[in-house]
Amino acid sequence: MYGKIGSLFTGLVTASALLVPAEAPAPSPSTRPAWAQAPASPEAASRVKRLDWRACAGENLPEGIRCATVTVPVDWRRPGGRKITLDLARLPATDPANRIGSVLQVPGGPGAEGVKDLKDSAPGLTELRRRFDLIGYNPRNTGLRERLPAACWGTGTQLLEPRDREEYRAQVAKVEAAARECRDADASGLFDNLDSLSVARDMEAVREALGERRLSFMANSYGGVPAAAYARLFPGRVRAMYLDGAADQVNGWAKLHLEHASINERMFGRFVAWCAADDACALHGEDVSAVWRALVEKLDRSPIPISSPEFGAGKLSGWHLRLTSFQANPGPDNAWWKTFAASVDRLRKGDASDFAEPVNSNSRIWTIPAPRAMTCPDDRGLTGYAQFRDLSRRMREASPHLGGVPFDMLGCAGWPRPVANPSRPLPVRGLPPLLGAGSWTDHAMTASLAGTVPGSVTVRYDGPGHVMYMPGANGPASRCVIGHATRYLVDLTLPSPGTVCRPGE
């Protein structure tokens, strides 16, 4: 409940039927801005047939879905070297006479399967599908259990908050050594080429295979990182780009985490207020902030042992508790906050069992080489102990209850390879204005990413959740948000700045 291994943030998306209002009529070409008037590729319809589309395997598939594969180099610097195959799926436009082109869904994770995302999201994208082929693909970072050797896996070692420079250096050296062992065992070369820049070049190969002159994109969560990399590399190939709860790597991970810490602090304040008003909270009638602070301080002084079936023994410190335990999304009828309050109550009485798995998994995943290879090359690490100290102070200022240097940046500090995909702004020329959307916890980072391109707009969803067009378990899908996304992708019309969608709309 408290977290999911390998996710950008804790929480999943909640299952909900998606209904899309009819889009507005497309404006005439003369009323469109210059960037919107480039002609479609005349040969696109014929070139798309070059892919060997076939029936997809599986059950309960959307009607009309077809599957294919694209072969790309493992290392794009050596296009004649080893190859890897990517799975694709397509839902063809239901109004082919008025087809505009293709929309490529860029999945999150990293490591999520875009083919599955397409299947899951299809019921809510019927209006979009009228005018577009919807394309899902499995990036090169999916299925790594079968692609990377055993040396790249295991349970990892638990990250601990360094108390001084020596402890910091010792921990960094340990995770760096694990990554080098994995790299040495990987004969395929894939370990060195899982960065989002490589993923973006794969996306360009998908575009070429589809025969589209330009693509439209729907990118969610961590998918915002390869989507931004694609926009840097191929700005002239982007017709439109919709970012939903998308990670802002372009302005740096420290900025993203500081923004998220402030948001989590506000959500913790909401939790405290709810607990004071609802006797269903196990801490009702107490000073919840004081209870929490005392518990965190006690565990920082004296961490306690924990154990989980998958990850074995570890420790629970106040730092671990601040970073992994609180779920910003209250859940249906505040169910997740009720569970959290009950778990805190048991913890202060000596029972840490509710926190063992989320703390142990999340504090170890960032020392396991394979998951780190998908994201550390995207400039996610710390530059040294001085930055660790400075960021620690700033994170605690931003969130006195929940702040601390996050596991990902500390684990990626031990990355043994040069940064492949540095954080830097998107080009201001050649890209169309972007559309973003984000919930209570996602709006700030998505707006920060989209806002690097002039004229872009980010819709605020005034509620919890993550990825508004995907069914799941972490919040309702939003008809309002999907409607804005559909209109933007179809006729390139952006909503007004400051647009808000509310639950149930």
Side-chain angles (χ1 to χ4, degrees):
M1 106 137 215
Y2 298 117
K4 185 158 183 76
I5 299 173
S7 297
L8 175 64
F9 299 112
T10 55
L12 302 171
V13 190
T14 289
S16 177
L18 310 181
L19 300 174
V20 185
E23 74 274 3
S28 64
S30 61
T31 66
R32 292 182 177 179
W35 56 263
Q37 297 185 35
S41 171
E43 70 276 14
S46 61
R47 287 180 62 191
V48 74
K49 296 177 182 178
R50 295 181 184 178
L51 286 168
D52 182 20
W53 294 108
R54 61 191 183 280
C56 299
E59 300 178 351
N60 302 317
L61 300 175
E63 184 177 355
I65 193 168
R66 304 288 287 176
C67 289
T69 59
V70 168
T71 300
V72 298
V74 168
D75 184 348
W76 276 100
R77 295 165 299 184
R78 298 173 176 83
R82 292 177 182 268
K83 301 295 192 295
I84 190 172
T85 300
L86 310 178
D87 292 328
L88 275 68
R90 179 181 66 167
L91 286 168
T94 56
D95 184 4
N98 292 297
R99 177 185 177 275
I100 296 171
S102 295
V103 173
L104 180 65
Q105 292 189 3
V106 188
E113 296 182 1
V115 172
K116 180 180 184 301
D117 281 358
L118 179 65
K119 296 173 183 177
D120 290 345
S121 64
L125 301 177
T126 54
E127 284 298 320
L128 186 64
R129 187 184 169 190
R130 285 184 53 234
R131 306 293 300 279
F132 289 95
D133 294 348
L134 304 184
I135 309 295
Y137 84 114
N138 291 349
R140 61 174 56 212
N141 54 30
T142 58
L144 291 184
R145 284 283 183 183
E146 292 74 34
R147 294 178 175 178
L148 291 179
C152 299
W153 299 95
T155 59
T157 58
Q158 189 183 41
L159 286 172
L160 304 174
E161 187 175 35
R163 293 173 293 184
D164 52 38
R165 190 181 301 272
E166 287 68 29
E167 287 191 357
Y168 173 85
R169 287 175 173 172
Q171 190 160 250
V172 167
K174 185 180 293 186
V175 295
E176 182 178 355
R180 290 189 184 279
E181 181 182 355
C182 165
R183 184 171 183 259
D184 290 344
D186 175 34
S188 71
L190 185 60
F191 178 79
D192 280 343
N193 294 280
L194 291 170
D195 56 275
S196 290
L197 209 62
S198 296
V199 174
R201 294 190 184 280
D202 294 345
M203 291 158 59
E204 174 65 358
V206 171
R207 181 198 66 78
E208 291 179 349
L210 292 171
E212 300 285 3
R213 182 168 181 173
R214 293 185 301 162
L215 278 180
S216 298
F217 297 87
M218 299 178 72
N220 72 72
S221 198
Y222 199 90
V225 181
Y230 186 92
R232 289 194 200 100
L233 290 172
F234 310 106
R237 298 300 187 182
V238 179
R239 175 186 172 273
M241 185 174 285
Y242 167 60
L243 305 166
D244 195 325
D248 174 25
Q249 181 259 3
V250 305
N251 291 300
W253 293 102
K255 180 178 184 293
L256 184 151
H257 283 303
L258 285 165
E259 289 176 343
H260 208 69
S262 297
I263 293 167
N264 274 342
E265 186 69 16
R266 291 197 295 272
M267 295 307 297
F268 191 84
R270 288 177 183 251
F271 163 74
V272 170
W274 163 77
C275 198
D278 193 336
D279 60 10
C281 175
L283 305 175
H284 179 70
E286 301 185 59
D287 184 338
V288 175
S289 291
V291 169
W292 178 257
R293 288 195 303 270
L295 184 57
V296 167
E297 290 169 4
K298 178 181 178 181
L299 289 170
D300 270 333
R301 290 192 305 269
S302 303
I304 61 175
I306 54 174
S307 181
S308 58
E310 184 175 354
F311 288 93
K315 292 182 178 180
L316 173 61
S317 69
W319 177 63
H320 292 125
L321 200 64
R322 289 194 303 274
L323 294 183
T324 61
S325 61
F326 178 65
Q327 170 61 271
N329 188 338
D333 194 29
N334 300 304
W336 295 346
W337 281 358
K338 291 174 186 176
T339 300
F340 172 68
S343 297
V344 171
D345 186 42
R346 284 191 287 271
L347 177 59
R348 66 176 174 170
K349 296 172 183 175
D351 180 1
S353 58
D354 288 349
F355 297 103
E357 182 64 25
V359 166
N360 226 352
S361 61
N362 282 284
S363 61
R364 289 174 182 268
I365 194 71
W366 294 104
T367 67
I368 300 173
R372 292 166 62 224
M374 295 187 279
T375 180
C376 291
D378 292 330
D379 208 4
R380 202 159 183 169
L382 297 164
T383 57
Y385 183 70
Q387 188 190 13
F388 168 79
R389 292 279 296 175
D390 178 65
L391 185 58
S392 179
R393 174 186 57 80
R394 295 167 67 196
M395 290 289 290
R396 295 190 189 216
E397 288 175 352
S399 179
H401 290 95
L402 304 168
V405 174
F407 300 138
D408 60 326
M409 295 190 72
L410 186 57
C412 285
W415 187 247
R417 301 286 293 157
V419 170
N421 181 34
S423 297
R424 59 192 189 281
L426 299 180
V428 296
R429 293 184 179 181
L431 282 176
L434 314 180
L435 175 64
S439 64
W440 284 339
T441 52
D442 293 347
H443 180 269
M445 67 174 180
T446 307
S448 178
L449 170 57
T452 61
V453 179
S456 299
V457 173
T458 299
V459 174
R460 181 186 299 276
Y461 177 73
D462 190 18
H466 182 53
V467 185
M468 294 294 101
Y469 70 88
M470 286 289 295
N474 196 30
S478 169
R479 294 175 57 194
C480 173
V481 171
I482 296 169
H484 287 301
T486 300
R487 284 186 287 274
Y488 164 70
L489 291 166
V490 169
D491 59 36
L492 306 174
T493 299
L494 288 161
S496 301
T499 295
V500 177
C501 287
R502 294 174 175 82
E505 294 181 344

